[in-house]
Amino acid sequence: MSTRTGKQIIRIENVRKAWGSFTALNGVSVTFREGEVVCIIGPSGSGKSTLLRTINRLERQDSGHIIVDGITLDDDLKSIDAVRAEVGMVFQSFNLFAHKTVLDNITLAPRRVRHWNREKAEQVALELLQRVGLAAHAHKYPAQLSGGQQQRVAIARALAMQPKIMLFDEPTSALDPEMVNEVLQVMRDLAKSGMTMLIVTHEMGFARDVADRVIFFDHGNIVEESDDPRTFFSGPQHPRAQSFLTSYSGL
């Protein structure tokens, strides 16, 4: 059960997003607190990833309001840049630059956006590589790494910008099964550190064990929400959540 009492850091108010006749977000309203770990689950196409993508303006909502750390996301490019500077995101695909070393992949954004010098950027990058268990791979290229290692580099790259919030969009879905746990362990350690984390995932055991709160999406709506994940996974209240969870074993 969540014991986090941090200040409200994200507020979503009646946000809608549609593509033609398909509604991805149907008037969603939800808040997130500083230091909170929230796992967002539900069937594919239910709006989970779209919610994350609207929080850092990778998708523009059709209506409603999104406020991130006091900044209202609108069409003002300065506001968008200010939010993106504070929000890190890790995607399903690793999106590393194939022609750059691991170290260069991680230092690129801090040097260009934060205007850090090379020495500072590399010091932070090496500390993060140590944190994710990849210190020995700093001078390798992405093609020399496994999928799990590449995803851990992607996490380090996002953390290098020293964000206040981390968004994870199904970060293990593109990995072979034996590589999933190494990425989830990095995320577990990050959760323990107090980082604000919003995680779209199909790893139900991970969500049960790590989340302070679980949100269940279906057809663009939040249909169930619980700040007691273990109780949620053992006995969800909404019929759609009950149906969804019956397909997962080991819970």
Side-chain angles (χ1 to χ4, degrees):
M1 183 176 294
S2 175
T3 58
R4 306 291 174 104
T5 57
K7 71 175 184 179
Q8 187 182 102
I9 195 166
I10 301 173
R11 186 163 78 250
I12 312 292
E13 299 176 345
N14 197 30
V15 166
R16 297 178 181 274
K17 177 66 182 179
W19 288 276
S21 61
F22 175 73
T23 299
L25 296 173
N26 188 24
V28 170
S29 295
V30 64
T31 61
F32 302 97
R33 293 192 172 278
E34 196 171 53
E36 189 176 32
V37 178
V38 181
C39 284
I40 304 169
I41 67 172
S44 297
S46 59
K48 311 179 303 294
S49 296
T50 302
L51 180 70
L52 292 196
R53 292 174 66 85
T54 60
I55 289 173
N56 66 357
R57 201 62 167 193
L58 291 177
E59 298 289 353
R60 182 185 186 279
Q61 74 268 27
D62 297 329
S63 61
H65 301 283
I66 300 174
I67 300 95
V68 180
D69 198 25
I71 302 169
T72 298
L73 267 176
D74 50 28
D75 293 328
D76 181 2
L77 293 180
K78 289 184 177 179
S79 295
I80 295 171
D81 288 343
V83 167
R84 287 178 178 168
E86 305 299 340
V87 178
M89 189 160 183
V90 178
F91 301 87
Q92 297 177 30
S93 55
F94 321 126
N95 296 325
L96 300 177
F97 293 109
H99 64 291
K100 292 185 178 293
T101 65
V102 165
L103 190 62
D104 287 340
N105 264 280
I106 296 173
T107 59
L108 182 63
R111 292 183 66 195
R112 290 191 175 181
V113 179
R114 299 290 193 196
H115 304 296
W116 292 356
N117 59 38
R118 179 182 291 275
E119 183 179 8
K120 178 178 180 179
E122 290 189 351
Q123 179 183 346
V124 170
L126 291 171
E127 290 172 355
L128 288 168
L129 285 172
Q130 182 71 39
R131 185 174 179 180
V132 300
L134 294 173
H137 300 278
H139 300 290
K140 291 184 178 180
Y141 289 87
Q144 296 174 284
L145 304 179
S146 70
Q149 289 171 329
Q150 290 187 60
Q151 191 62 296
R152 283 187 279 158
V153 172
I155 293 172
R157 179 180 59 182
L159 291 173
M161 286 290 288
Q162 300 183 337
K164 294 181 179 179
I165 302 160
M166 284 286 288
L167 309 178
F168 293 88
D169 186 8
E170 299 190 33
T172 61
S173 66
L175 300 178
D176 292 333
E178 65 267 24
M179 298 177 185
V180 169
N181 283 338
E182 64 188 62
V183 173
L184 293 182
Q185 187 56 54
V186 170
M187 294 171 64
R188 289 176 191 273
D189 293 341
L190 188 58
K192 291 176 183 176
S193 75
M195 171 66 73
T196 306
M197 299 169 65
L198 277 59
I199 307 165
V200 171
T201 183
H202 287 290
E203 300 291 338
M204 298 298 116
F206 170 81
R208 177 195 60 197
D209 295 341
V210 173
D212 295 309
R213 182 158 49 116
V214 173
I215 294 174
F216 182 81
F217 262 82
D218 188 45
H219 292 297
N221 298 289
I222 294 174
V223 299
E224 188 165 348
E225 187 174 352
S226 174
D227 62 0
D228 189 348
R230 288 187 174 272
T231 297
F232 169 81
F233 283 109
S234 63
Q237 300 301 302
H238 195 279
R240 186 65 186 92
Q242 293 170 4
S243 172
F244 179 79
L245 290 177
T246 57
S247 63
Y248 289 89
S249 60
L251 287 173

